[in-house]
Protein backbone atom coordinates (compact mmCIF):
# COMPACT_ATOMS: atom_id res chain seq x y z
CA UNK A 1 0.00 0.00 0.00
CA UNK A 2 1.14 3.49 -0.75
CA UNK A 3 2.19 5.62 2.14
CA UNK A 4 -0.23 8.40 3.01
CA UNK A 5 1.15 11.91 2.59
CA UNK A 6 0.31 14.17 5.51
CA UNK A 7 0.26 17.96 5.52
CA UNK A 8 3.17 18.48 7.91
CA UNK A 9 3.10 22.27 7.68
CA UNK A 10 0.14 22.45 10.00
CA UNK A 11 0.06 19.32 12.13
CA UNK A 12 3.62 18.03 11.98
CA UNK A 13 5.29 21.22 13.19
CA UNK A 14 3.04 21.37 16.23
CA UNK A 15 3.77 17.75 17.07
CA UNK A 16 7.55 18.17 16.61
CA UNK A 17 7.56 21.14 18.96
CA UNK A 18 5.47 19.19 21.44
CA UNK A 19 7.74 16.15 21.33
CA UNK A 20 10.79 18.35 21.79
CA UNK A 21 9.30 19.80 24.95
CA UNK A 22 8.50 16.36 26.29
CA UNK A 23 12.01 15.07 25.63
CA UNK A 24 13.60 17.98 27.45
CA UNK A 25 11.31 17.36 30.43
CA UNK A 26 12.62 13.82 30.96
CA UNK A 27 15.22 13.44 33.64
CA UNK A 28 16.86 10.25 32.39
CA UNK A 29 19.89 11.22 30.32
CA UNK A 30 19.74 8.10 28.15
CA UNK A 31 16.30 9.16 26.88
CA UNK A 32 17.08 12.74 25.93
CA UNK A 33 17.45 11.68 22.30
CA UNK A 34 14.52 9.43 21.43
CA UNK A 35 14.82 7.16 18.37
CA UNK A 36 12.36 7.21 15.47
CA UNK A 37 11.38 3.89 13.87
CA UNK A 38 9.59 3.48 10.54
CA UNK A 39 7.46 0.33 10.54
CA UNK A 40 6.06 -1.40 7.46
CA UNK A 41 2.92 -3.38 8.20
CA UNK A 42 2.10 -6.88 7.02
CA UNK A 43 -1.47 -7.64 5.96
CA UNK A 44 -3.00 -10.49 7.97
CA UNK A 45 -5.87 -12.15 6.06
CA UNK A 46 -8.98 -12.41 8.22
CA UNK A 47 -11.76 -14.70 7.08
CA UNK A 48 -14.74 -12.60 8.22
CA UNK A 49 -13.58 -9.02 8.81
CA UNK A 50 -16.50 -6.94 7.56
CA UNK A 51 -17.02 -3.70 9.46
CA UNK A 52 -14.47 -3.87 12.26
CA UNK A 53 -11.99 -0.99 12.46
CA UNK A 54 -11.16 -0.91 16.20
CA UNK A 55 -8.80 -3.46 17.74
CA UNK A 56 -9.78 -3.88 21.40
CA UNK A 57 -7.01 -6.23 22.54
CA UNK A 58 -4.29 -8.41 21.06
CA UNK A 59 -2.03 -11.15 22.33
CA UNK A 60 0.02 -13.85 20.63
CA UNK A 61 -2.96 -16.15 20.02
CA UNK A 62 -6.05 -13.96 19.80
CA UNK A 63 -7.22 -10.55 18.69
CA UNK A 64 -10.49 -8.88 19.73
CA UNK A 65 -12.10 -6.47 17.25
CA UNK A 66 -15.11 -4.20 17.61
CA UNK A 67 -17.72 -5.06 14.97
CA UNK A 68 -19.58 -1.79 14.87
CA UNK A 69 -22.13 -2.52 12.13
CA UNK A 70 -22.75 -6.20 12.71
CA UNK A 71 -25.45 -7.98 14.73
CA UNK A 72 -22.81 -8.55 17.42
CA UNK A 73 -20.53 -5.97 19.07
CA UNK A 74 -17.26 -7.92 19.33
CA UNK A 75 -15.51 -10.54 17.23
CA UNK A 76 -12.67 -12.77 18.46
CA UNK A 77 -10.11 -14.02 15.94
CA UNK A 78 -7.65 -16.84 16.48
CA UNK A 79 -4.20 -15.92 15.21
CA UNK A 80 -2.51 -18.76 13.38
CA UNK A 81 0.72 -18.01 11.59
CA UNK A 82 0.00 -15.24 9.10
CA UNK A 83 -3.80 -15.42 9.19
CA UNK A 84 -6.71 -14.71 11.53
CA UNK A 85 -9.79 -16.92 11.79
CA UNK A 86 -13.09 -15.88 13.35
CA UNK A 87 -13.65 -17.96 16.49
CA UNK A 88 -16.56 -16.30 18.27
CA UNK A 89 -18.89 -13.30 18.39
CA UNK A 90 -20.00 -11.59 21.61
CA UNK A 91 -22.67 -9.12 22.66
CA UNK A 92 -25.82 -9.49 20.59
CA UNK A 93 -27.35 -6.27 19.32
CA UNK A 94 -31.10 -5.91 19.86
CA UNK A 95 -33.93 -5.27 22.31
CA UNK A 96 -34.38 -8.75 23.76
CA UNK A 97 -33.06 -10.38 26.93
CA UNK A 98 -29.26 -10.24 27.22
CA UNK A 99 -29.12 -7.78 24.31
CA UNK A 100 -28.20 -4.11 23.95
CA UNK A 101 -29.36 -1.65 21.34
CA UNK A 102 -25.92 -0.02 21.29
CA UNK A 103 -22.55 -0.13 23.02
CA UNK A 104 -20.46 2.94 22.25
CA UNK A 105 -17.80 1.91 24.77
CA UNK A 106 -16.22 -1.53 25.16
CA UNK A 107 -13.80 -2.38 27.98
CA UNK A 108 -11.77 -5.55 28.45
CA UNK A 109 -10.42 -6.94 31.73
CA UNK A 110 -7.74 -9.40 30.69
CA UNK A 111 -7.15 -11.21 34.04
CA UNK A 112 -10.78 -12.41 34.21
CA UNK A 113 -11.54 -12.35 30.46
CA UNK A 114 -14.56 -10.17 31.22
CA UNK A 115 -15.76 -7.63 28.70
CA UNK A 116 -18.00 -4.71 29.60
CA UNK A 117 -20.31 -3.29 26.93
CA UNK A 118 -21.68 0.14 27.83
CA UNK A 119 -23.81 2.83 26.22
CA UNK A 120 -23.33 6.28 27.76
CA UNK A 121 -26.50 7.41 25.94
CA UNK A 122 -29.01 5.21 27.79
CA UNK A 123 -26.57 3.82 30.43
CA UNK A 124 -27.34 0.25 29.44
CA UNK A 125 -24.53 -2.22 30.12
CA UNK A 126 -23.71 -5.90 30.23
CA UNK A 127 -20.75 -8.00 31.34
CA UNK A 128 -19.66 -10.97 29.21
CA UNK A 129 -17.10 -13.61 30.10
CA UNK A 130 -15.27 -14.60 26.93
CA UNK A 131 -14.49 -18.12 28.16
CA UNK A 132 -17.84 -19.20 29.61
CA UNK A 133 -20.00 -16.88 27.44
CA UNK A 134 -21.92 -16.01 30.60
CA UNK A 135 -23.76 -12.71 30.03
CA UNK A 136 -25.34 -10.62 32.75
CA UNK A 137 -26.89 -7.16 32.75
CA UNK A 138 -25.14 -4.43 34.71
CA UNK A 139 -27.50 -1.97 36.44
CA UNK A 140 -24.86 0.04 38.29
CA UNK A 141 -24.74 2.81 35.67
CA UNK A 142 -28.49 3.38 35.58
CA UNK A 143 -28.60 3.33 39.38
CA UNK A 144 -26.46 6.48 39.23
CA UNK A 145 -28.23 8.34 36.45
CA UNK A 146 -27.98 11.63 38.35
CA UNK A 147 -24.42 11.69 37.00
CA UNK A 148 -23.19 11.41 33.44
CA UNK A 149 -20.83 8.45 33.67
CA UNK A 150 -18.90 9.00 30.46
CA UNK A 151 -15.84 6.74 30.22
CA UNK A 152 -14.48 4.04 32.47
CA UNK A 153 -11.65 1.56 33.06
CA UNK A 154 -11.40 -1.65 35.08
CA UNK A 155 -9.49 -1.48 38.37
CA UNK A 156 -10.36 -5.08 39.21
CA UNK A 157 -13.10 -7.52 38.23
CA UNK A 158 -15.81 -5.62 40.12
CA UNK A 159 -14.66 -1.99 40.35
CA UNK A 160 -14.30 0.69 37.70
CA UNK A 161 -12.60 4.07 37.66
CA UNK A 162 -15.18 6.27 35.94
CA UNK A 163 -14.80 9.73 34.43
CA UNK A 164 -17.99 11.67 35.08
CA UNK A 165 -19.83 14.93 34.47
CA UNK A 166 -22.05 16.45 37.15
CA UNK A 167 -24.99 17.83 35.09
CA UNK A 168 -25.44 20.94 37.21
CA UNK A 169 -24.05 24.30 36.00
CA UNK A 170 -23.85 25.52 39.62
CA UNK A 171 -21.82 22.56 40.89
CA UNK A 172 -18.47 23.52 42.40
CA UNK A 173 -17.39 20.15 43.77
CA UNK A 174 -14.56 18.71 41.64
CA UNK A 175 -16.08 15.23 41.25
CA UNK A 176 -13.87 14.31 38.31
CA UNK A 177 -13.65 10.57 38.89
CA UNK A 178 -15.73 8.07 40.83
CA UNK A 179 -15.16 4.46 41.78
CA UNK A 180 -18.15 2.49 40.52
CA UNK A 181 -18.78 -0.88 42.20
CA UNK A 182 -20.49 -3.11 39.66
CA UNK A 183 -22.22 -5.50 42.05
CA UNK A 184 -23.82 -2.87 44.31
CA UNK A 185 -23.91 0.27 42.17
CA UNK A 186 -22.19 2.15 44.99
CA UNK A 187 -20.07 5.17 44.10
CA UNK A 188 -16.92 6.16 45.98
CA UNK A 189 -15.53 9.69 45.73
CA UNK A 190 -12.03 10.18 44.32
CA UNK A 191 -9.95 13.09 45.56
CA UNK A 192 -7.00 14.95 44.15
CA UNK A 193 -7.70 15.57 40.47
CA UNK A 194 -8.49 18.57 38.27
CA UNK A 195 -6.68 19.51 35.04
CA UNK A 196 -4.89 22.81 35.63
CA UNK A 197 -5.70 24.47 32.32
CA UNK A 198 -6.54 27.94 33.68
CA UNK A 199 -10.27 27.72 32.90
CA UNK A 200 -12.34 29.42 35.62
CA UNK A 201 -15.86 28.99 34.20
CA UNK A 202 -18.53 26.42 35.10
CA UNK A 203 -17.05 23.13 36.31
CA UNK A 204 -19.66 21.28 34.25
CA UNK A 205 -18.21 22.84 31.09
CA UNK A 206 -14.72 21.72 32.06
CA UNK A 207 -15.81 18.17 32.89
CA UNK A 208 -17.75 18.00 29.64
CA UNK A 209 -14.82 18.97 27.41
CA UNK A 210 -12.47 16.42 29.00
CA UNK A 211 -14.57 13.50 30.14
CA UNK A 212 -17.00 13.17 27.24
CA UNK A 213 -14.03 12.09 25.10
CA UNK A 214 -11.72 10.77 27.81
CA UNK A 215 -8.95 8.26 27.03
CA UNK A 216 -8.08 6.16 30.04
CA UNK A 217 -6.00 2.99 30.49
CA UNK A 218 -4.67 1.20 33.56
CA UNK A 219 -1.24 -0.36 33.88
CA UNK A 220 -1.72 -4.14 33.57
CA UNK A 221 -0.38 -4.85 37.08
CA UNK A 222 -0.24 -1.58 39.02
CA UNK A 223 -2.79 1.07 40.01
CA UNK A 224 -1.19 3.56 37.63
CA UNK A 225 -3.24 5.16 34.85
CA UNK A 226 -2.82 7.17 31.68
CA UNK A 227 -5.59 9.74 31.20
CA UNK A 228 -6.29 12.29 28.46
CA UNK A 229 -8.95 13.34 26.00
CA UNK A 230 -9.70 14.01 22.32
CA UNK A 231 -9.67 17.78 22.78
CA UNK A 232 -6.27 19.41 22.41
CA UNK A 233 -3.29 17.13 23.01
CA UNK A 234 -3.22 16.57 26.75
CA UNK A 235 -2.39 13.46 28.78
CA UNK A 236 -1.04 12.64 32.20
CA UNK A 237 -0.04 9.67 34.33
CA UNK A 238 -1.18 9.20 37.93
CA UNK A 239 -1.43 6.62 40.69
CA UNK A 240 -4.63 5.70 42.49
CA UNK A 241 -4.02 5.07 46.20
CA UNK A 242 -7.24 4.20 47.99
CA UNK A 243 -9.57 6.99 46.97
CA UNK A 244 -6.86 9.56 46.20
CA UNK A 245 -5.01 10.38 43.00
CA UNK A 246 -1.31 11.02 43.61
CA UNK A 247 1.99 11.23 41.71
CA UNK A 248 0.54 13.09 38.76
CA UNK A 249 2.83 13.73 35.80
CA UNK A 250 1.78 15.51 32.61
CA UNK A 251 3.25 13.98 29.44
CA UNK A 252 1.29 15.92 26.80
CA UNK A 253 0.59 19.52 27.78
CA UNK A 254 -1.49 21.01 24.97
CA UNK A 255 -4.67 21.70 26.96
CA UNK A 256 -7.88 22.27 24.98
CA UNK A 257 -9.11 25.81 24.40
CA UNK A 258 -12.81 26.30 25.13
CA UNK A 259 -15.44 28.51 26.74
CA UNK A 260 -19.13 28.12 27.61
CA UNK A 261 -21.49 28.41 24.67
CA UNK A 262 -24.70 30.39 24.35
CA UNK A 263 -26.45 28.16 26.89
CA UNK A 264 -23.79 29.05 29.45
CA UNK A 265 -22.52 25.47 29.77
CA UNK A 266 -21.86 23.60 26.51
CA UNK A 267 -18.18 23.94 25.57
CA UNK A 268 -17.16 25.60 22.32
CA UNK A 269 -14.56 28.01 20.96
CA UNK A 270 -11.66 25.74 19.96
CA UNK A 271 -9.43 27.42 17.34
CA UNK A 272 -8.95 25.78 13.94
CA UNK A 273 -5.32 24.90 14.76
CA UNK A 274 -6.22 22.87 17.86
CA UNK A 275 -5.16 19.24 17.70
CA UNK A 276 -7.61 16.50 18.54
CA UNK A 277 -6.23 13.91 20.90
CA UNK A 278 -5.12 10.32 20.49
CA UNK A 279 -5.82 6.61 20.92
CA UNK A 280 -3.83 4.55 23.40
CA UNK A 281 -2.63 1.02 24.07
CA UNK A 282 -0.60 -0.04 27.12
CA UNK A 283 1.73 -2.84 28.17
CA UNK A 284 3.60 -3.45 31.45
CA UNK A 285 6.60 -1.51 30.04
CA UNK A 286 5.16 1.17 27.78
CA UNK A 287 2.33 3.51 26.84
CA UNK A 288 1.69 3.69 23.08
CA UNK A 289 -0.09 6.89 22.00
CA UNK A 290 -1.39 7.02 18.42
CA UNK A 291 -1.77 10.72 17.62
CA UNK A 292 -4.86 11.81 15.73
CA UNK A 293 -3.63 13.72 12.67
CA UNK A 294 -6.48 16.19 12.27
CA UNK A 295 -7.31 19.56 13.76
CA UNK A 296 -10.55 21.31 14.67
CA UNK A 297 -10.24 23.20 11.40
CA UNK A 298 -10.13 19.93 9.47
CA UNK A 299 -13.31 18.76 11.22
CA UNK A 300 -15.05 22.02 10.37
CA UNK A 301 -13.96 21.82 6.74
CA UNK A 302 -15.30 18.27 6.45
CA UNK A 303 -18.61 19.33 8.01
CA UNK A 304 -18.88 21.94 5.23
CA UNK A 305 -18.28 19.29 2.59
CA UNK A 306 -14.72 20.55 1.95
CA UNK A 307 -12.62 17.50 2.84
CA UNK A 308 -8.88 18.33 2.74
CA UNK A 309 -6.89 16.30 0.21
CA UNK A 310 -4.86 14.46 2.84
CA UNK A 311 -8.04 12.79 4.10
CA UNK A 312 -9.23 11.49 0.72
CA UNK A 313 -8.78 7.93 -0.48
CA UNK A 314 -8.78 4.45 1.07
CA UNK A 315 -6.94 4.28 4.37
CA UNK A 316 -6.57 8.06 4.40
CA UNK A 317 -9.81 9.12 6.06
CA UNK A 318 -9.84 11.34 9.11
CA UNK A 319 -9.90 8.34 11.46
CA UNK A 320 -6.57 6.97 10.19
CA UNK A 321 -3.21 7.90 11.73
CA UNK A 322 0.47 6.94 11.52
CA UNK A 323 2.46 8.50 14.36
CA UNK A 324 2.89 6.68 17.68
CA UNK A 325 4.65 8.16 20.71
CA UNK A 326 6.06 5.56 23.11
CA UNK A 327 6.39 6.54 26.78
CA UNK A 328 7.49 4.52 29.76
CA UNK A 329 5.30 4.51 32.87
CA UNK A 330 7.48 7.16 34.49
CA UNK A 331 6.42 9.57 31.76
CA UNK A 332 9.58 9.72 29.64
CA UNK A 333 9.39 9.62 25.87
CA UNK A 334 11.29 6.52 24.74
CA UNK A 335 10.73 6.55 21.00
CA UNK A 336 8.44 7.30 18.09
CA UNK A 337 6.94 4.89 15.56
CA UNK A 338 5.80 5.89 12.07
CA UNK A 339 3.38 3.34 10.65
CA UNK A 340 2.82 2.46 7.00
CA UNK A 341 -0.02 2.05 6.21
CA UNK A 342 -2.11 4.29 8.47
CA UNK A 343 -4.47 2.62 10.96
CA UNK A 344 -7.56 3.60 12.96
CA UNK A 345 -6.30 2.50 16.37
CA UNK A 346 -3.67 0.21 17.84
CA UNK A 347 -3.27 -2.74 20.21
CA UNK A 348 0.17 -3.92 21.33
CA UNK A 349 0.90 -7.38 22.70
CA UNK A 350 2.00 -7.57 26.34
CA UNK A 351 5.59 -8.44 25.44
CA UNK A 352 5.90 -5.31 23.24
CA UNK A 353 6.79 -7.44 20.22
CA UNK A 354 3.81 -6.83 17.96
CA UNK A 355 1.44 -3.97 17.16
CA UNK A 356 -1.89 -4.52 15.41
CA UNK A 357 -4.16 -2.04 13.65
CA UNK A 358 -6.77 -1.91 10.89
CA UNK A 359 -6.38 -0.04 7.62
CA UNK A 360 -8.37 -0.11 4.38
CA UNK A 361 -7.97 -1.85 1.04
CA UNK A 362 -8.27 -0.04 -2.28
CA UNK A 363 -11.96 -1.04 -2.15
CA UNK A 364 -12.45 0.66 1.23
CA UNK A 365 -12.70 -2.65 3.09
CA UNK A 366 -11.12 -3.13 6.54
CA UNK A 367 -7.77 -4.91 6.52
CA UNK A 368 -5.93 -6.25 9.59
CA UNK A 369 -2.26 -5.20 9.71
CA UNK A 370 0.59 -6.44 11.90
CA UNK A 371 3.76 -4.48 12.70
CA UNK A 372 6.88 -5.93 14.30
CA UNK A 373 7.88 -3.57 17.11
CA UNK A 374 11.54 -2.59 17.50
CA UNK A 375 13.53 -3.07 20.66
CA UNK A 376 13.25 0.33 22.32
CA UNK A 377 16.32 1.26 24.39
Amino acid sequence: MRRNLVDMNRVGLLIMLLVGGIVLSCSRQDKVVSPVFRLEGTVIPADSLQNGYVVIHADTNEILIEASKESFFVEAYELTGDSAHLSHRYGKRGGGPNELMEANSIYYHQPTRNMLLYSSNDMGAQLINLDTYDTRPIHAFRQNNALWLMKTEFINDSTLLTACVVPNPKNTEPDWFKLLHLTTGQLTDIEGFLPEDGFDGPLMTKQWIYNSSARMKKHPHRNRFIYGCDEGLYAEIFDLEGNRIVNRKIILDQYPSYHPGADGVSPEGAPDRQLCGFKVSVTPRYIYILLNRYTKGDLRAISRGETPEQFKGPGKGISFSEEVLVFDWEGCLCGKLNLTPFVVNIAVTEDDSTLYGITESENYEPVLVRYTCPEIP
Side-chain angles (χ1 to χ4, degrees):
M1 295 184 182
R2 295 189 304 271
R3 182 172 180 172
N4 199 343
L5 300 177
V6 182
D7 181 1
M8 297 301 292
N9 289 332
R10 180 178 63 247
V11 180
L13 179 59
L14 288 173
I15 292 175
M16 284 189 290
L17 291 173
L18 170 64
V19 171
I22 295 168
V23 171
L24 292 175
S25 72
C26 292
S27 59
R28 289 179 58 182
Q29 187 67 29
D30 61 337
K31 293 185 179 178
V32 170
V33 178
S34 299
V36 178
F37 302 93
R38 300 188 182 278
L39 307 186
E40 295 283 342
T42 300
V43 171
I44 304 299
D47 56 12
S48 184
L49 193 61
Q50 298 295 323
N51 291 293
Y53 280 89
V54 176
V55 181
I56 301 168
H57 177 79
D59 59 33
T60 55
N61 301 312
E62 181 186 57
I63 187 165
L64 303 174
I65 296 175
E66 183 177 337
S68 58
K69 297 180 182 179
E70 297 296 315
S71 57
F72 291 82
F73 293 107
V74 178
E75 293 180 338
Y77 288 82
E78 181 183 358
L79 295 169
T80 305
D82 290 328
S83 62
H85 303 284
L86 179 67
S87 60
H88 203 81
R89 291 187 170 101
Y90 301 94
K92 192 171 183 181
R93 190 187 305 268
N98 291 329
E99 295 179 351
L100 292 176
M101 292 302 297
E102 66 171 2
N104 53 20
S105 297
I106 299 175
Y107 306 97
Y108 179 55
H109 187 239
Q110 185 179 5
T112 58
R113 297 269 291 165
N114 283 339
M115 182 165 286
L116 177 70
L117 309 181
Y118 173 56
S119 169
S120 59
N121 293 324
D122 65 6
M123 305 187 86
Q126 64 180 211
L127 194 69
I128 304 170
N129 184 271
L130 303 193
D131 291 332
T132 65
Y133 313 126
D134 177 59
T135 301
R136 61 185 178 96
I138 296 296
H139 304 294
F141 292 95
R142 285 177 174 163
Q143 288 175 234
N144 295 283
N145 59 9
L147 291 175
W148 296 351
L149 302 175
M150 307 303 294
K151 303 293 181 179
T152 193
E153 175 68 341
F154 279 101
I155 295 177
N156 54 46
D157 62 343
S158 62
T159 309
L160 306 174
L161 180 66
T162 304
C164 62
V165 176
V166 180
N168 178 359
K170 297 181 180 180
N171 173 58
T172 59
E173 295 296 324
D175 292 325
W176 203 267
F177 295 117
K178 297 281 189 180
L179 292 183
L180 177 63
H181 303 274
L182 290 179
T183 54
T184 65
Q186 178 184 353
L187 289 174
T188 300
D189 292 339
I190 296 294
E191 302 174 4
F193 192 89
L194 193 70
E196 298 174 359
D197 61 0
F199 177 75
D200 60 0
L203 185 57
M204 181 180 173
T205 304
K206 184 167 183 167
Q207 289 179 325
W208 195 336
I209 198 75
Y210 286 90
N211 284 346
S212 63
S213 65
R215 300 284 180 182
M216 187 161 52
K217 288 282 188 180
K218 179 184 174 294
H219 185 282
H221 310 305
R222 301 160 58 188
N223 266 6
R224 180 162 289 187
F225 293 80
I226 169 74
Y227 167 83
C229 68
D230 277 352
E231 300 287 341
L233 195 55
Y234 149 77
E236 63 176 277
I237 297 167
F238 59 78
D239 291 325
L240 180 64
E241 295 184 356
N243 68 333
R244 287 192 58 81
I245 287 175
V246 297
N247 302 327
R248 294 173 59 185
K249 181 170 184 179
I250 295 171
I251 61 172
L252 298 174
D253 63 359
Q254 304 298 305
Y255 291 104
S257 297
Y258 59 100
H259 58 74
D263 61 2
V265 179
S266 303
E268 60 180 43
D272 281 352
R273 68 180 182 277
Q274 180 167 294
L275 298 172
C276 294
F278 58 89
K279 289 100 171 183
V280 62
S281 179
V282 301
T283 69
R285 291 179 65 192
Y286 296 120
I287 300 164
Y288 295 82
I289 291 179
L290 176 66
L291 300 175
N292 291 333
R293 64 187 179 98
Y294 57 87
T295 64
K296 282 292 185 180
D298 294 326
L299 292 176
R300 290 169 181 141
I302 291 172
S303 70
R304 298 192 301 266
E306 302 169 358
T307 301
E309 286 299 318
Q310 67 265 28
F311 301 116
K312 294 180 180 180
K316 298 180 181 179
I318 198 165
S319 299
F320 294 84
S321 302
E322 67 159 345
E323 188 168 20
V324 180
L325 303 181
V326 184
F327 293 87
D328 65 20
W329 281 96
E330 302 307 313
C332 280
L333 182 68
C334 302
K336 184 168 70 171
L337 313 178
N338 287 332
L339 309 180
T340 301
F342 293 6
V343 294
V344 172
N345 85 320
I346 57 173
V348 183
T349 57
E350 189 171 84
D351 63 0
D352 298 288
S353 66
T354 310
L355 181 151
Y356 288 93
I358 295 180
T359 188
E360 276 182 335
S361 70
E362 294 295 325
N363 297 321
Y364 292 91
E365 296 174 342
V367 174
L368 180 63
V369 183
R370 180 177 64 201
Y371 303 84
T372 299
C373 294
E375 181 63 35
I376 298 174

